[in-house]
PDB file of all heavy atoms in Angstrom:
ATOM      1  N   LEU A 184    -129.834 -89.926-104.311  1.00 92.00           N
ATOM      2  CA  LEU A 184    -130.321 -90.968-105.221  1.00 92.00           C
ATOM      3  C   LEU A 184    -129.166 -91.847-105.671  1.00 92.00           C
ATOM      4  O   LEU A 184    -128.093 -91.349-106.029  1.00 92.00           O
ATOM      5  CB  LEU A 184    -131.007 -90.337-106.418  1.00 92.00           C
ATOM      6  CG  LEU A 184    -131.621 -91.334-107.419  1.00 92.00           C
ATOM      7  CD1 LEU A 184    -132.818 -92.036-106.828  1.00 92.00           C
ATOM      8  CD2 LEU A 184    -132.018 -90.581-108.700  1.00 92.00           C
ATOM      9  N   VAL A 185    -129.392 -93.169-105.671  1.00 91.00           N
ATOM     10  CA  VAL A 185    -128.384 -94.125-106.119  1.00 91.00           C
ATOM     11  C   VAL A 185    -129.062 -95.029-107.154  1.00 91.00           C
ATOM     12  O   VAL A 185    -130.128 -95.602-106.891  1.00 91.00           O
ATOM     13  CB  VAL A 185    -127.847 -94.969-104.964  1.00 91.00           C
ATOM     14  CG1 VAL A 185    -126.837 -95.986-105.456  1.00 91.00           C
ATOM     15  CG2 VAL A 185    -127.222 -94.079-103.902  1.00 91.00           C
ATOM     16  N   TYR A 186    -128.432 -95.172-108.320  1.00 91.00           N
ATOM     17  CA  TYR A 186    -128.965 -96.033-109.377  1.00 91.00           C
ATOM     18  C   TYR A 186    -128.357 -97.419-109.227  1.00 91.00           C
ATOM     19  O   TYR A 186    -127.134 -97.577-109.136  1.00 91.00           O
ATOM     20  CB  TYR A 186    -128.642 -95.463-110.756  1.00 91.00           C
ATOM     21  CG  TYR A 186    -129.437 -94.235-111.124  1.00 91.00           C
ATOM     22  CD1 TYR A 186    -128.862 -92.968-111.097  1.00 91.00           C
ATOM     23  CD2 TYR A 186    -130.769 -94.350-111.501  1.00 91.00           C
ATOM     24  CE1 TYR A 186    -129.593 -91.844-111.463  1.00 91.00           C
ATOM     25  CE2 TYR A 186    -131.512 -93.225-111.855  1.00 91.00           C
ATOM     26  CZ  TYR A 186    -130.907 -91.983-111.828  1.00 91.00           C
ATOM     27  OH  TYR A 186    -131.668 -90.874-112.172  1.00 91.00           O
ATOM     28  N   THR A 187    -129.218 -98.418-109.232  1.00 88.00           N
ATOM     29  CA  THR A 187    -128.722 -99.797-109.241  1.00 88.00           C
ATOM     30  C   THR A 187    -128.401-100.192-110.692  1.00 88.00           C
ATOM     31  O   THR A 187    -129.103 -99.781-111.611  1.00 88.00           O
ATOM     32  CB  THR A 187    -129.784-100.760-108.680  1.00 88.00           C
ATOM     33  OG1 THR A 187    -131.017-100.627-109.412  1.00 88.00           O
ATOM     34  CG2 THR A 187    -130.064-100.428-107.214  1.00 88.00           C
ATOM     35  N   PRO A 188    -127.358-100.983-110.924  1.00 86.00           N
ATOM     36  CA  PRO A 188    -126.888-101.216-112.306  1.00 86.00           C
ATOM     37  C   PRO A 188    -127.870-102.024-113.134  1.00 86.00           C
ATOM     38  O   PRO A 188    -128.613-102.877-112.634  1.00 86.00           O
ATOM     39  CB  PRO A 188    -125.577-101.987-112.081  1.00 86.00           C
ATOM     40  CG  PRO A 188    -125.680-102.561-110.711  1.00 86.00           C
ATOM     41  CD  PRO A 188    -126.516-101.637-109.927  1.00 86.00           C
ATOM     42  N   SER A 189    -127.866-101.724-114.415  1.00 79.00           N
ATOM     43  CA  SER A 189    -128.633-102.472-115.408  1.00 79.00           C
ATOM     44  C   SER A 189    -127.978-102.267-116.770  1.00 79.00           C
ATOM     45  O   SER A 189    -127.275-101.264-116.989  1.00 79.00           O
ATOM     46  CB  SER A 189    -130.096-102.015-115.443  1.00 79.00           C
ATOM     47  OG  SER A 189    -130.182-100.657-115.884  1.00 79.00           O
ATOM     48  N   ARG A 190    -128.191-103.226-117.695  1.00 78.00           N
ATOM     49  CA  ARG A 190    -127.553-103.136-119.025  1.00 78.00           C
ATOM     50  C   ARG A 190    -128.416-103.913-120.006  1.00 78.00           C
ATOM     51  O   ARG A 190    -129.361-104.604-119.627  1.00 78.00           O
ATOM     52  CB  ARG A 190    -126.144-103.690-118.995  1.00 78.00           C
ATOM     53  CG  ARG A 190    -126.035-105.150-118.584  1.00 78.00           C
ATOM     54  CD  ARG A 190    -124.619-105.536-118.246  1.00 78.00           C
ATOM     55  NE  ARG A 190    -124.540-106.910-117.771  1.00 78.00           N
ATOM     56  CZ  ARG A 190    -124.032-107.912-118.459  1.00 78.00           C
ATOM     57  NH1 ARG A 190    -123.569-107.721-119.699  1.00 78.00           N
ATOM     58  NH2 ARG A 190    -123.968-109.140-117.966  1.00 78.00           N
ATOM     59  N   LYS A 191    -128.055-103.783-121.279  1.00 74.00           N
ATOM     60  CA  LYS A 191    -128.753-104.495-122.337  1.00 74.00           C
ATOM     61  C   LYS A 191    -127.848-105.546-122.946  1.00 74.00           C
ATOM     62  O   LYS A 191    -126.690-105.233-123.274  1.00 74.00           O
ATOM     63  CB  LYS A 191    -129.235-103.511-123.408  1.00 74.00           C
ATOM     64  CG  LYS A 191    -130.478-102.739-123.023  1.00 74.00           C
ATOM     65  CD  LYS A 191    -131.011-101.956-124.204  1.00 74.00           C
ATOM     66  CE  LYS A 191    -132.306-101.246-123.853  1.00 74.00           C
ATOM     67  NZ  LYS A 191    -132.879-100.515-125.019  1.00 74.00           N
ATOM     68  N   VAL A 192    -128.345-106.734-123.111  1.00 77.00           N
ATOM     69  CA  VAL A 192    -127.612-107.842-123.725  1.00 77.00           C
ATOM     70  C   VAL A 192    -128.463-108.370-124.870  1.00 77.00           C
ATOM     71  O   VAL A 192    -129.537-108.947-124.655  1.00 77.00           O
ATOM     72  CB  VAL A 192    -127.300-108.951-122.693  1.00 77.00           C
ATOM     73  CG1 VAL A 192    -126.579-110.105-123.357  1.00 77.00           C
ATOM     74  CG2 VAL A 192    -126.499-108.398-121.536  1.00 77.00           C
ATOM     75  N   LYS A 193    -127.958-108.175-126.111  1.00 73.00           N
ATOM     76  CA  LYS A 193    -128.664-108.618-127.315  1.00 73.00           C
ATOM     77  C   LYS A 193    -130.081-108.055-127.372  1.00 73.00           C
ATOM     78  O   LYS A 193    -131.062-108.747-127.697  1.00 73.00           O
ATOM     79  CB  LYS A 193    -128.718-110.144-127.387  1.00 73.00           C
ATOM     80  CG  LYS A 193    -127.348-110.791-127.513  1.00 73.00           C
ATOM     81  CD  LYS A 193    -127.453-112.299-127.559  1.00 73.00           C
ATOM     82  CE  LYS A 193    -126.075-112.936-127.690  1.00 73.00           C
ATOM     83  NZ  LYS A 193    -126.151-114.429-127.760  1.00 73.00           N
ATOM     84  N   GLY A 194    -130.181-106.772-127.036  1.00 70.00           N
ATOM     85  CA  GLY A 194    -131.470-106.105-127.103  1.00 70.00           C
ATOM     86  C   GLY A 194    -132.376-106.337-125.938  1.00 70.00           C
ATOM     87  O   GLY A 194    -133.451-105.721-125.860  1.00 70.00           O
ATOM     88  N   LYS A 195    -131.978-107.190-124.997  1.00 76.00           N
ATOM     89  CA  LYS A 195    -132.790-107.458-123.806  1.00 76.00           C
ATOM     90  C   LYS A 195    -132.184-106.743-122.592  1.00 76.00           C
ATOM     91  O   LYS A 195    -130.959-106.675-122.452  1.00 76.00           O
ATOM     92  CB  LYS A 195    -132.883-108.937-123.521  1.00 76.00           C
ATOM     93  CG  LYS A 195    -133.655-109.707-124.595  1.00 76.00           C
ATOM     94  CD  LYS A 195    -133.781-111.187-124.212  1.00 76.00           C
ATOM     95  CE  LYS A 195    -134.575-111.947-125.260  1.00 76.00           C
ATOM     96  NZ  LYS A 195    -134.726-113.374-124.891  1.00 76.00           N
ATOM     97  N   ARG A 196    -133.026-106.204-121.763  1.00 72.00           N
ATOM     98  CA  ARG A 196    -132.596-105.488-120.573  1.00 72.00           C
ATOM     99  C   ARG A 196    -132.282-106.455-119.439  1.00 72.00           C
ATOM    100  O   ARG A 196    -133.143-107.288-119.069  1.00 72.00           O
ATOM    101  CB  ARG A 196    -133.680-104.504-120.134  1.00 72.00           C
ATOM    102  CG  ARG A 196    -133.296-103.651-118.927  1.00 72.00           C
ATOM    103  CD  ARG A 196    -134.454-102.771-118.548  1.00 72.00           C
ATOM    104  NE  ARG A 196    -134.738-101.786-119.584  1.00 72.00           N
ATOM    105  CZ  ARG A 196    -135.953-101.245-119.773  1.00 72.00           C
ATOM    106  NH1 ARG A 196    -136.957-101.638-119.034  1.00 72.00           N
ATOM    107  NH2 ARG A 196    -136.135-100.350-120.719  1.00 72.00           N
ATOM    108  N   VAL A 197    -131.077-106.363-118.901  1.00 74.00           N
ATOM    109  CA  VAL A 197    -130.663-107.165-117.750  1.00 74.00           C
ATOM    110  C   VAL A 197    -130.584-106.240-116.549  1.00 74.00           C
ATOM    111  O   VAL A 197    -129.772-105.342-116.494  1.00 74.00           O
ATOM    112  CB  VAL A 197    -129.295-107.841-118.004  1.00 74.00           C
ATOM    113  CG1 VAL A 197    -128.875-108.630-116.780  1.00 74.00           C
ATOM    114  CG2 VAL A 197    -129.356-108.730-119.244  1.00 74.00           C
ATOM    115  N   VAL A 198    -131.471-106.472-115.575  1.00 76.00           N
ATOM    116  CA  VAL A 198    -131.607-105.593-114.432  1.00 76.00           C
ATOM    117  C   VAL A 198    -131.153-106.318-113.176  1.00 76.00           C
ATOM    118  O   VAL A 198    -131.552-107.460-112.927  1.00 76.00           O
ATOM    119  CB  VAL A 198    -133.061-105.115-114.268  1.00 76.00           C
ATOM    120  CG1 VAL A 198    -133.187-104.164-113.087  1.00 76.00           C
ATOM    121  CG2 VAL A 198    -133.549-104.459-115.529  1.00 76.00           C
ATOM    122  N   CYS A 199    -130.311-105.665-112.374  1.00 81.00           N
ATOM    123  CA  CYS A 199    -129.911-106.217-111.086  1.00 81.00           C
ATOM    124  C   CYS A 199    -131.067-106.057-110.088  1.00 81.00           C
ATOM    125  O   CYS A 199    -131.881-105.150-110.188  1.00 81.00           O
ATOM    126  CB  CYS A 199    -128.662-105.519-110.561  1.00 81.00           C
ATOM    127  SG  CYS A 199    -127.200-105.809-111.586  1.00 81.00           S
ATOM    128  N   TYR A 200    -131.094-106.946-109.111  1.00 84.00           N
ATOM    129  CA  TYR A 200    -132.176-106.948-108.139  1.00 84.00           C
ATOM    130  C   TYR A 200    -131.949-105.804-107.151  1.00 84.00           C
ATOM    131  O   TYR A 200    -131.131-105.873-106.224  1.00 84.00           O
ATOM    132  CB  TYR A 200    -132.213-108.297-107.435  1.00 84.00           C
ATOM    133  CG  TYR A 200    -133.486-108.591-106.677  1.00 84.00           C
ATOM    134  CD1 TYR A 200    -134.675-107.969-107.044  1.00 84.00           C
ATOM    135  CD2 TYR A 200    -133.514-109.456-105.605  1.00 84.00           C
ATOM    136  CE1 TYR A 200    -135.866-108.240-106.380  1.00 84.00           C
ATOM    137  CE2 TYR A 200    -134.678-109.743-104.938  1.00 84.00           C
ATOM    138  CZ  TYR A 200    -135.842-109.109-105.314  1.00 84.00           C
ATOM    139  OH  TYR A 200    -137.010-109.374-104.646  1.00 84.00           O
TER     140      TYR A 200
END
Side-chain angles (χ1 to χ4, degrees):
L184 183 69
V185 179
Y186 288 105
T187 56
S189 64
R190 60 194 177 107
K191 282 189 176 183
V192 179
K193 296 180 180 181
K195 294 183 179 180
R196 182 183 294 153
V197 178
V198 182
C199 295
Y200 196 26

